[in-house]
Amino acid sequence: MDKVDQYKQSIGKFVFSELVIFMSQVLVFFMVAVFTSNFLNSEEKLVEFANQKINDGSLTEVGLTFLAILVVIGLFSALGRIFDNKYVEFYVNEVLCEMPKTIYVFGSSATGTMLAISLFIYRNPAEGASAQGFSALSLLFAFMMFLYGVAFSYAFKRKTHILKKPNKSMQQTADAAAD
């Protein structure tokens, strides 16, 4: 096994690893919402926290973050070509890998907050509000954000972090060489 391959993962392990990362972030933001709202006893504090995490500017901020990442990548690429630096590609890849992290942070903060709200609604039933419906919406949102994040992450890491399955002819050649 090549030294480089020892850090690579199968697609299944890669997706599972990304899922664990995303779900742990959801749990962190959920716990912050719980702590901030005095263990879901203060509706005012929970609403204030939710307004900070989920607002009209959140989606715009994510879009602007992606735009800023692209500008930084362009700057790095230009500097790399100007100064003929062979290490620039590494840094461009590192900056690109920030895009899935941004999606995860935005998605997990909104999801964790929404799940805390649904638990608050469940503990304090009110007319018109459905904890189950809000939970389902939260999980659907989380699933969508995870899909976007893992797709970007796979696209950027497929060459460096994902094991390639050898095709049959390559495997047969390797098996014949081993005999």
Side-chain angles (χ1 to χ4, degrees):
M1 178 182 272
D2 290 327
K3 188 173 185 176
V4 174
D5 285 342
Q6 70 183 348
Y7 300 109
K8 292 187 176 187
Q9 303 172 316
S10 67
I11 291 175
K13 284 185 179 180
F14 174 76
V15 171
F16 182 75
S17 172
E18 294 288 309
L19 181 63
V20 169
I21 291 166
F22 180 73
M23 294 307 296
S24 64
Q25 288 180 347
V26 169
L27 182 59
V28 165
F29 282 106
F30 173 81
M31 294 305 301
V32 171
V34 168
F35 296 150
T36 302
S37 65
N38 193 22
F39 295 92
L40 299 177
N41 288 317
S42 172
E43 182 176 4
E44 297 80 30
K45 290 181 180 181
L46 182 59
V47 168
E48 183 181 326
F49 181 78
N51 285 335
Q52 290 174 356
K53 298 297 172 199
I54 308 168
N55 60 45
D56 294 337
S58 296
L59 197 53
T60 303
E61 186 177 336
V62 170
L64 291 174
T65 301
F66 288 160
L67 180 61
I69 288 171
L70 293 174
V71 168
V72 169
I73 289 169
L75 178 65
F76 279 6
S77 296
L79 290 173
R81 293 195 91 184
I82 290 169
F83 296 110
D84 196 28
N85 189 320
K86 62 183 179 181
Y87 300 108
V88 170
E89 185 178 343
F90 170 78
Y91 294 111
V92 167
N93 288 335
E94 290 298 309
V95 173
L96 274 174
C97 289
E98 293 301 313
M99 290 177 92
K101 292 177 187 176
T102 302
I103 293 170
Y104 287 162
V105 168
F106 170 73
S108 63
S109 68
T111 300
T113 303
M114 291 165 55
L115 289 173
I117 291 169
S118 68
L119 183 58
F120 179 85
I121 293 170
Y122 178 77
R123 290 179 58 201
N124 304 292
E127 191 139 333
S130 165
Q132 293 83 3
F134 204 75
S135 294
L137 179 66
S138 303
L139 295 176
L140 183 63
F141 178 78
F143 180 71
M144 180 187 72
M145 295 307 288
F146 174 72
L147 280 181
Y148 279 119
V150 78
F152 272 108
S153 188
Y154 177 79
F156 298 141
K157 295 179 178 179
R158 72 181 185 277
K159 294 179 182 175
T160 56
H161 291 70
I162 308 295
L163 285 172
K164 292 181 183 175
K165 291 183 181 177
N167 61 29
K168 289 185 180 183
S169 63
M170 288 177 69
Q171 186 64 40
Q172 289 169 348
T173 305
D175 291 343
D179 291 336

